[in-house]
Amino acid sequence: MSDVGLATLGNGLRIVTDRIATVATVSIGLWVDVGTRHEPAAVNGVAHFLEHMAFKGTKRRSALAIAEEIEAVGGHLNAYTSRESTAYYAKVLKEDVALALDILADILQHSTFERAELERERTVILQEIGQANDTPDDVVFDHFQECAYPDQAMGRPVLGSPKIIRKLSRKSVVSYLRENYGAARMVLSAAGHLDHDEIVALADQLLGAMPAERSVSTEPARYVGGDMRQERDLEQLHLVLGFPGLPLCDPDYYAAAVLSTAFGGGMSSRLFQEIREKRGLVYAISSFAHSYRDGGLFGVYAGTGEDEAAKLMPVLCDETRKLADGFTAVELARAKAQMKAGILMSLESTSARCEQMAQHMLIHGVPFDPDDIVRRIDAVDDAAIGRVVAGWRRAPPTLVALGPTGKLEDFARLEKRLNG
């Protein structure tokens, strides 16, 4: 059983806790409601750079001391940057939760951003970008994002470009922190064997003096779509075909998720069975539904051979058009069961529960309620699926291909196929 607690500090920091008395650990973290889409174009990648630098030393702790203190109690620290949020979190034994929160509060408020550390981390991030560029089934999604949202914040890569990262100044990193990290835009989330009042008291002591509001600018997301192809000497062609999706708070959000699961969410899905199992046209194929505050993307990823690409696209377009006819009752039930099982299984992880609570608070302002989510999934029907698919006709599709693209048909023909 779990017990959810809520509190808000005087500076607007929201606190959500999920007590689980049957475990011996606590996952705890701070989620900030800013990410890559809140960066000016000239410093694209600064949010991710800041996330890296947070662990590189504070006024009280060196980078080594941060690592040693958390590992001395068997815990671990981590962080990530996304397009709309940034997270800093830890997992420790229940008796070490005060240490974990002290370190998290320290790195977010008292990091020194020493120039030597910054230069070392600049090199690390450039290597990270290079590694991503060497992984075509990863970087193709960055290209897809850019093609769907060209010349705007939502389309820029989380890691930034080597050109910008090489010249990004210490002042830019520090300014981004000071201008964007306000307590009212943050959620402190914790899940595990904890005491809610203790967490609140610690937070007030360690984070109560953090400035409340920051004036964060958010450029609206404007889906455009189009065609982007990059010829590369690769064995496989990596491609993503997509359409405009739904915002996080859209009433049909869960319909899009069920649709994605049934269409390409597993080995029993339509795409896997029709395109890989029956025809052998791909090694990998899957669909996805990505949602943001004011927009979203629905898409299909496929990894295929150069010769198979010409045969793949007509079949993929046919299967996409068939979605207008909906799914069978068996397909729909199976997709819902997959989703519900995934949610319920995740409840066994304190880390997953901590993140679910934090993200739900950031987006919806209320704690994550698995029973409510299950009800929303169960409520998805043919009409909701139909509304999602109909929404794809609002704008052109997006096609991105990376690899041997020579046998891939042109974009105009692709559009004609999709429109029947």
Side-chain angles (χ1 to χ4, degrees), residues 12-156:
L13 176 69
R14 290 161 289 173
I15 301 168
V16 57
T17 63
D18 186 0
R19 176 175 167 77
I20 312 164
T22 55
V23 299
T25 63
V26 175
S27 293
I28 186 167
L30 285 154
W31 271 256
V32 192
D33 198 18
V34 290
T36 303
R37 71 174 303 184
H38 303 101
E39 302 167 342
V43 292
N44 173 218
V46 68
H48 175 253
F49 205 129
L50 171 59
E51 172 227 308
H52 273 244
M53 286 304 300
F55 297 99
K56 298 305 171 184
T58 70
K59 294 174 183 176
R60 290 194 288 135
R61 296 176 170 98
S62 66
L64 177 59
I66 292 171
E68 286 179 339
E69 283 190 45
I70 197 71
E71 292 182 1
V73 297
H76 62 258
L77 286 167
N78 213 333
Y80 68 80
T81 306
S82 70
R83 287 187 164 82
E84 295 195 301
S85 64
T86 311
Y88 305 82
Y89 54 94
K91 186 169 185 176
V92 291
L93 297 176
K94 59 184 180 181
E95 55 267 27
D96 299 311
V97 67
L99 171 66
L101 186 52
D102 182 64
I103 294 175
L104 290 169
D106 194 21
I107 65 175
L108 285 185
Q109 296 177 103
H110 308 298
S111 285
T112 53
F113 303 101
E114 293 181 7
R115 296 188 185 280
E117 290 286 358
L118 189 140
E119 292 307 320
R120 276 192 289 270
E121 210 56 29
R122 189 193 309 277
T123 302
V124 170
I125 293 170
L126 288 169
Q127 291 173 358
E128 187 178 358
I129 294 171
Q131 184 180 51
N133 288 335
D134 284 344
T135 312
D137 56 345
D138 185 5
V139 75
V140 71
F141 286 95
D142 273 349
H143 293 328
F144 175 71
Q145 192 82 20
E146 180 185 358
C147 190
Y149 295 108
D151 303 315
Q152 54 186 295
M154 186 58 85
R156 292 193 282 268

Side-chain angles (χ1 to χ4, degrees), residues 35-47 152-154 156-157 160 164 168 172 175-176 179-180 216-219:
T36 303
R37 71 174 303 184
H38 303 101
E39 302 167 342
V43 292
N44 173 218
V46 68
Q152 54 186 295
M154 186 58 85
R156 292 193 282 268
I164 291 176
L168 199 63
S172 294
S175 295
Y176 182 82
E179 292 169 7
N180 292 278
V216 177
S217 175
T218 305
E219 179 186 0

Side-chain angles (χ1 to χ4, degrees), residues 119-404:
E119 292 307 320
R120 276 192 289 270
E121 210 56 29
R122 189 193 309 277
T123 302
V124 170
I125 293 170
L126 288 169
Q127 291 173 358
E128 187 178 358
I129 294 171
Q131 184 180 51
N133 288 335
D134 284 344
T135 312
D137 56 345
D138 185 5
V139 75
V140 71
F141 286 95
D142 273 349
H143 293 328
F144 175 71
Q145 192 82 20
E146 180 185 358
C147 190
Y149 295 108
D151 303 315
Q152 54 186 295
M154 186 58 85
R156 292 193 282 268
V158 171
L159 300 183
S161 69
K163 181 180 179 181
I164 291 176
I165 296 302
R166 286 192 185 100
K167 65 181 182 181
L168 199 63
S169 68
R170 178 182 181 276
K171 180 181 178 182
S172 294
V173 178
V174 174
S175 295
Y176 182 82
L177 170 65
R178 289 178 178 167
E179 292 169 7
N180 292 278
Y181 278 39
R185 298 187 67 88
M186 299 171 71
V187 168
L188 169 61
S189 179
H193 199 133
L194 54 80
D195 179 275
H196 172 75
D197 292 337
E198 178 188 345
I199 298 289
V200 174
L202 282 168
D204 196 27
Q205 174 190 337
L206 297 168
L207 296 158
M210 178 176 278
E213 276 296 344
R214 298 300 193 194
S215 179
V216 177
S217 175
T218 305
E219 179 186 0
R222 296 171 287 102
Y223 176 91
V224 176
D227 185 31
M228 179 188 292
R229 305 176 191 215
Q230 187 178 109
E231 185 71 21
R232 277 207 200 180
D233 185 16
L234 299 171
E235 289 295 321
Q236 278 216 313
L237 174 68
H238 301 268
L239 62 88
V240 180
L241 172 65
F243 310 91
L246 299 177
L248 286 161
C249 294
D250 192 283
D252 287 327
Y253 169 84
Y254 289 99
V258 171
L259 167 59
S260 178
T261 302
F263 192 41
M267 294 175 64
S268 64
S269 68
R270 277 193 186 180
L271 289 179
F272 194 93
Q273 286 299 311
E274 184 65 33
I275 294 180
R276 174 173 162 151
E277 296 298 278
K278 291 183 182 179
R279 301 173 187 260
L281 293 176
V282 298
Y283 170 69
I285 190 161
S286 59
S287 61
F288 59 87
H290 293 165
S291 293
Y292 308 109
R293 293 297 183 92
D294 55 351
L297 294 169
F298 186 97
V300 175
Y301 162 79
T304 187
E306 180 179 9
D307 292 335
E308 288 79 12
K311 299 177 183 176
L312 168 64
M313 293 313 295
V315 178
L316 180 55
C317 290
D318 285 346
E319 291 302 316
T320 302
R321 281 203 320 274
K322 288 178 187 176
L323 290 176
D325 300 324
F327 294 102
T328 66
V330 171
E331 286 178 305
L332 212 54
R334 185 167 58 230
K336 290 179 180 182
Q338 283 179 262
M339 289 184 62
K340 290 185 290 186
I343 290 169
L344 297 176
M345 288 178 184
S346 73
L347 298 179
E348 298 176 5
S349 163
T350 60
S351 298
R353 287 169 82 141
C354 178
E355 177 162 19
Q356 287 166 343
M357 285 288 178
Q359 291 287 5
H360 220 258
M361 285 294 295
L362 281 182
I363 296 161
H364 301 289
V366 296
F368 176 80
D369 180 354
D371 292 333
D372 179 58
I373 305 305
V374 167
R375 284 192 295 270
R376 291 174 183 269
I377 292 169
D378 280 333
V380 172
D381 56 16
D382 290 336
I385 297 289
R387 287 192 296 271
V388 175
V389 176
W392 297 348
R393 298 186 181 277
R394 294 195 309 264
T398 301
L399 177 68
V400 171
L402 185 63

